[in-house]
C-alpha cells in the first residue's frame, strides 16, 4: 500500500530532511489490526531497531538518531495502529506530529487524550471525507470537552487542524487536497 500511495515519493519530493519507516502489518486483510504495536513499548522497540538500520545505512550517531523527532502518518484503517502507538508505544516525548489521511474511524478517546497532553508541542493534521465525518465530529467534541482548540480548513500544520475534503476515500492519500498531502505537510 505504501507504494500505491507513493508515500516514499511524497517524502522525497517534499524536500524535508526525513526518513519514511513503514511497518508491514497484515497484508490484504479486511481489518485494521495493529498487531504487536498494541503491546506496551513495542513501537519504541521497533523505532530503536529501525534507527540502528538507518544509522548503518545513512551514518550519524546513535544519540542523534535517538533525538530525531517522529511524525506518525496513517491512512484509512491505519488509525488503529496510530492510536496504539500513541497510547502504548513509549514514544510520547519524540512524537511531534500526527497526520491522519481519512483515518478517523474510531479510537477518538485515545486521540483526544494524546492531544490534551501534547497539543502545546505537537501538531495534528487530519484530512477527512464523508466516510470518516461522523467519528471526526466525535473527536472534535472530545477535544472541546478537554479545552483543546482546533481549526477547520487547510493551513499550516500547527496545533490541531481538521480539513474536510470531497475527494473519494481511495484517492485522499495521493490527491488530498492538498495534492500529495503527506509531502505537503512535511514541506510546511
Amino acid at each position: 500500500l505504501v507504494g500505491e500511495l507513493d508515500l516514499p515519493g511524497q517524502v522525497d519530493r517534499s524536500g524535508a530532511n526525513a526518513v519514511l519507516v513503514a511497518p508491514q502489518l497484515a497484508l490484504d486483510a479486511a481489518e485494521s489490526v495493529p498487531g504487536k504495536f498494541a503491546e506496551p513499548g513495542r513501537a519504541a522497540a521497533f523505532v530503536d531497531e529501525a534507527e540502528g538500520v538507518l544509522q548503518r545505512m545513512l551514518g550519524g550517531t546513535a544519540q542523534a538518531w535517538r533525538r530525531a523527532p517522529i511524525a506518525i502518518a496513517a491512512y484509512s484503517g491505519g488509525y488503529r495502529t496510530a492510536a496504539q502507538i500513541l497510547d502504548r508505544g513509549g514514544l510520547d516525548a519524540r512524537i511531534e506530529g500526527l497526520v491522519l489521511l481519512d483515518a478517523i474511524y474510531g479510537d477518538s478517546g485515545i486521540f483526544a487524550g494524546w492531544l490534551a497532553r501534547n497539543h502545546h508541542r505537537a501538531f495534528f493534521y487530519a484530512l477527512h471525507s464523508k466516510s470518516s465525518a461522523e467519528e471526526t465530529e466525535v473527536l472534535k467534541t472530545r477535544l472541546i470537552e478537554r479545552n483543546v482548540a482546533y481549526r477547520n480548513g487547510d493551513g499550516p500544520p500547527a496545533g490541531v487542524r481538521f480539513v474536510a475534503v470531497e475527494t473519494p476515500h481511495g484517492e485522499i492519500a495521493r490527491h488530498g487536497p492538498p495534492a500529495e498531502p503527506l509531502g505537503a505537510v512535511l514541506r510546511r
Side-chain angles (χ1 to χ4, degrees):
L1 187 58
V2 170
E4 291 175 25
L5 302 177
D6 192 28
L7 298 181
Q10 288 189 44
V11 171
D12 187 49
R13 288 185 293 278
S14 77
N17 182 13
V19 179
L20 175 67
V21 177
Q24 177 65 56
L25 298 173
L27 189 60
D28 295 327
E31 72 277 347
S32 303
V33 178
K36 293 189 177 196
F37 285 107
E39 297 174 12
R42 185 58 74 145
F46 174 82
V47 168
D48 286 345
E49 182 179 343
E51 287 169 347
V53 172
L54 291 166
Q55 181 185 0
R56 288 189 295 279
M57 290 173 58
L58 302 172
T61 66
Q63 295 84 356
W65 282 102
R66 282 194 296 271
R67 286 191 311 269
I70 295 172
I72 295 174
Y75 166 65
S76 192
Y79 76 91
R80 287 190 176 169
T81 301
Q84 291 305 307
I85 290 170
L86 297 177
D87 193 41
R88 301 173 180 204
L91 295 168
D92 251 18
R94 290 185 59 190
I95 298 172
E96 289 191 5
L98 181 61
V99 180
L100 297 180
L101 304 174
D102 214 15
I104 304 175
Y105 291 97
D107 292 330
S108 60
I110 293 173
F111 293 125
W114 185 82
L115 285 165
R117 292 187 309 275
N118 296 288
H119 72 276
H120 60 282
R121 61 165 198 80
F123 73 88
F124 176 89
Y125 186 89
L127 293 180
H128 64 92
S129 72
K130 291 176 185 172
S131 71
S132 62
E134 184 176 329
E135 193 67 22
T136 298
E137 291 304 315
V138 170
L139 176 54
K140 288 178 179 181
T141 299
R142 289 180 177 206
L143 292 176
I144 291 167
E145 292 168 353
R146 289 171 170 83
N147 294 314
V148 176
Y150 64 84
R151 294 184 179 149
N152 290 306
D154 195 22
V160 180
R161 185 169 295 279
F162 294 93
V163 183
V165 299
E166 296 295 323
T167 310
H169 175 75
E171 298 176 18
I172 285 177
R174 290 192 81 162
H175 303 293
E180 297 194 342
L182 181 58
V185 169
L186 290 173
R187 253 188 314 280
R188 294 175 183 176

